[in-house]
Amino acid sequence: MEIDLIVGSMMGAAEYVADELEQELIDSHQVTQHLDADLEELPTDGSHIWLICTSTHGAGDYPDNIEPFIEQLKAQRPNLSRLKYGVIALGSSQYDTFCQAGRNIDQLLGELGANRIGERLEIDAQIQPVPEDSAIEWLPNWRQQLEAQ
Ligand SMILES: Cc1cc2nc3c(=O)[nH]c(=O)nc-3n(C[C@H](O)[C@H](O)[C@H](O)COP(=O)(O)O)c2cc1C
């Protein structure tokens, strides 16, 4: 299976999580990481799985590098009914808008008809100083659900 790892990161934590996920997944999947995701380059026909890995910045905002992709989704509103995806959201519970970017993209993809595999992972920097540990712990179950499809 081909997995597009779509990353939203301001200061590198989500990017580091994505690097670790890629290392875990490459033994059985073809993984491509996208730091500047472009909807035009991402198949939405179900041949690729999207794994979103994004932090939240500002007051519940998307990181700058993923914002253009979000705008493309909102403007073009593609039919994503054949797409399967997962979401890993990084944030901090010191903000009222905890993990809002991850929650928002999850909702947006759902509205566009995409099918989420497994539960969304929310990583709280207040509790988990090493976010990649949470992601690596979450991954086997997600992977199992993906591979059972
Ligand atoms: C200026 C600033 C604003 C932030 N705003 C939020 C927020 O609204 N909600 C949230 O859950 N986390 C927020 N965070 C926490 C980050 O999402 C968290 O530290 C994350 O691990 C950063 O990942 P990154 O290095 O990939 O950007 C904020 C952090 C900073 C520095």
Side-chain angles (χ1 to χ4, degrees):
M1 250 178 266
E2 297 197 36
I3 299 179
D4 286 313
L5 250 171
I6 298 170
V7 185
S9 182
M10 290 290 265
M11 299 177 300
E15 200 179 328
Y16 195 70
V17 168
D19 287 343
E20 294 287 307
L21 291 167
E22 182 173 355
Q23 287 310 310
E24 289 288 316
L25 288 163
I26 47 171
D27 61 350
S28 50
H29 298 283
Q30 209 172 310
V31 185
T32 309
Q33 215 181 118
H34 301 269
L35 290 171
D36 299 295
D38 181 353
L39 188 54
E40 313 302 332
E41 293 172 3
L42 292 171
T44 56
D45 60 359
S47 61
H48 289 214
I49 313 296
W50 291 4
L51 182 50
I52 315 288
C53 182
T54 186
S55 65
T56 296
H57 276 270
D61 301 332
Y62 290 104
D64 291 348
N65 73 308
I66 202 174
E67 184 71 48
F69 176 63
I70 301 297
E71 292 309 317
Q72 284 179 314
L73 287 170
K74 287 181 180 168
Q76 298 180 27
R77 299 197 69 79
N79 177 350
L80 298 182
S81 56
R82 301 183 70 183
L83 182 79
K84 294 180 184 128
Y85 72 97
V87 178
I88 295 176
L90 282 77
S92 166
S93 57
Q94 76 190 67
Y95 297 90
D96 292 342
T97 47
F98 176 58
C99 285
Q100 200 61 53
R103 291 177 185 182
N104 285 348
I105 192 170
D106 194 0
Q107 186 179 349
L108 178 60
L109 294 176
E111 283 169 14
L112 297 173
N115 306 289
R116 198 186 61 226
I117 305 285
E119 293 299 313
R120 179 180 63 239
L121 173 66
E122 296 185 345
I123 306 175
D124 183 355
Q126 292 294 306
I127 297 170
Q128 175 53 280
V130 189
E132 55 274 22
D133 285 355
S134 299
I136 295 303
E137 206 175 297
W138 169 92
L139 188 63
N141 189 262
W142 184 77
R143 197 171 171 160
Q144 205 174 22
Q145 293 191 55
L146 176 67
E147 288 161 7
Q149 298 276 315

